[in-house]
Amino acid sequence: MKTPKILFYLILCIMSGCAQPKEKEEVVVYSYVEEPHSYARPNNAFINHLNLDISVDFDNEIIKGKATYDIVTNNSTQIILDSKHLDIESVMADGKETEFSLGANDKILGQPLTITITKDTKKIEITYKTTKDTEALQWLKPEQTADKTKPFLFTQGQAILTRTWIPIQDSPQIRLTYEANVQVPKDLMAVMSAENPKEKTENGLYHFRMKQAIPAYLIALAVGDLSYKAISERTGVYAEKSMHNKAFDEFSDMEKMVSAAESLYGDYVWEQFDVIVLPPSFPFGGMENPRLTFATPTVIAGDKSLTSLIAHELAHSWSGNLVTNSTWNDFWINEGFTVYFEMRIMEALYGKEYADMLALISRQDLDDELTNLKDTPNATKLKLNLKGKNPDDGMNSIAYDKGYLFLRTLEETVGRDQFDAFLKQYFKEHAFSTMTTEKFVTYLNTNLLEKNKISFNTDEWINQPGIPQNQAVITSEKFKNVDHILQEFIVESKFDKEVTKDWTPQEWVHFIRNFPATMTVEQMKTLDDILNLTNSSNSYIQMVWYEQALNHDYHGKNVDAKIEEFLTSVGRRWYVETIFKAFKRNNKMEDALKIYEKSRPNYHSVTVKTIDDLLGFEPEEEVIK
Ligand SMILES: [Zn+2]
């Protein structure tokens, strides 16, 4: 039987939540919105299942193999996939070799891979390999790992990097299920954003299945000398040996987090929630790959004090993975909701006082970002226009922190009970579909605001720069106390270490970040002598203290060497960027470049791109294109 239009339509409806056709014969009216960052034309033909059969070659640092797709066509004679820096060897359509062409290369988007099909084609199979220019993959030498004995590989797909390791329709609007056979060296273990092994296999061959449809940016792979330890039946940790116990202790509240999240916004539908601790060069705090969050080891502080990151990635199991931003212009739909949800999970677990500290830090991050973006006010709108730009450039703190403030203000306006009921319904009705900003606004008006006759300046929040007047005011008694202690130190040179003994890292961060511009080197030295901040083992405190050391020209306790050590061992973009920005702001570019030349080879392409741009660095031999 041919694929009838109605089937095509229904699949589209499942994927994008469009309205039912009036009659069966009606021509498909397709509801994908314009996609600025993918060549795919899903209204003509789209993929809905991937079968990946690949091997991971550490010696040559390539992945090679076959990607086979189930496709759905709408009388189309071609299907277009995204491809960047891939070596495409051959393409088959339903078992027969078929023509394909790679179009002109765009620096950001890569190349369209156009494949000839017939309107009856059901499967296409692509034989390919990655190249040294891949941006998603980071190949790590043993010395770059925690155990320092075996190599490691991980992928980072968001925003548009999956196309650099798999030819794919790389748009958040296109969801697919997948299976994979992955061959790795037999002393290593492979894990994916899928059902995962709990132990190494004897031959290094691993089979994976992801039965829930996800967008391509959530397909993820990590390969290393890993083992697994369960925390509860549905939560656990993958890590290298030397990190295992530390990670297990740090993340032991994971089951409680999942339960708290479920009681807020409905069932956790992905069955398993595991975390893999990656080597320190991982460019993000965490990445919400479904079933298996990828996390930086820098959140392991020894006292669970930075685990709001895990709450954040867990929250993405609803906002982002279940209801996905339609395009990267709607990125706040993923991140604003997730920060809001993260705060609610943290409040449920550790109380309002703790959550308010996190919220106030988010508020200050927002102020900093507004200052950074003062010359480009359009970049402070929630709804972005990233056409022609790398979507990674839109991923500043506006989507996160202004998105959060918008939702918190809404919550305070309509009341928490009402807002929670609305969000629960929102996730339920739009599960496994995508959301544009406009569609959300319509849904909000119909289901919350108009229904309850509440007027709210939604348009101003979303489509205007800056922060509207009616913003929620966030306060924290704990931070007021910290402000008082800092003030006493600055004005009266009084400081009693005893008052800090129960401080959380959030209080430390608030204390350090708010040093006045007039802070002297002598005052920096006094604090460091009492508190030994230069040698803090908490990565968050290190970041803000090193930033202040640069701001205030402090060189005590060998802090310069510590900064260099930090930048050459950690690749988390937020940390690295914050410190390099401080070098730049304080006219210490020569020092910055000297360190960057050493640290750059340890960074993932995502961090490299940001810091190259920040420092105006041009490598002699272009590796990242
Ligand atoms: Zn996030």
Side-chain angles (χ1 to χ4, degrees), residues 521 524 545-556 559-560 563 567 579-597 614-615:
V521 174
M524 291 286 289
W545 174 252
Y546 297 158
E547 187 185 15
Q548 293 293 18
L550 289 160
N551 286 345
H552 298 282
D553 221 5
Y554 171 66
H555 300 282
V559 69
D560 299 303
I563 293 172
L567 290 171
I579 296 175
F580 277 121
K581 268 186 184 162
F583 272 105
K584 191 175 174 181
R585 193 169 53 238
N586 293 290
N587 302 317
K588 295 171 180 170
M589 283 294 284
E590 209 176 300
D591 295 342
L593 287 166
K594 226 183 267 171
I595 296 173
Y596 187 48
E597 265 177 51
L614 176 70
L615 301 180

Side-chain angles (χ1 to χ4, degrees), residues 41-56:
R41 294 289 168 267
N43 45 339
N44 297 333
F46 63 83
I47 57 177
N48 65 3
H49 180 76
L50 159 67
N51 216 318
L52 203 56
D53 194 352
I54 51 172
S55 62
V56 176

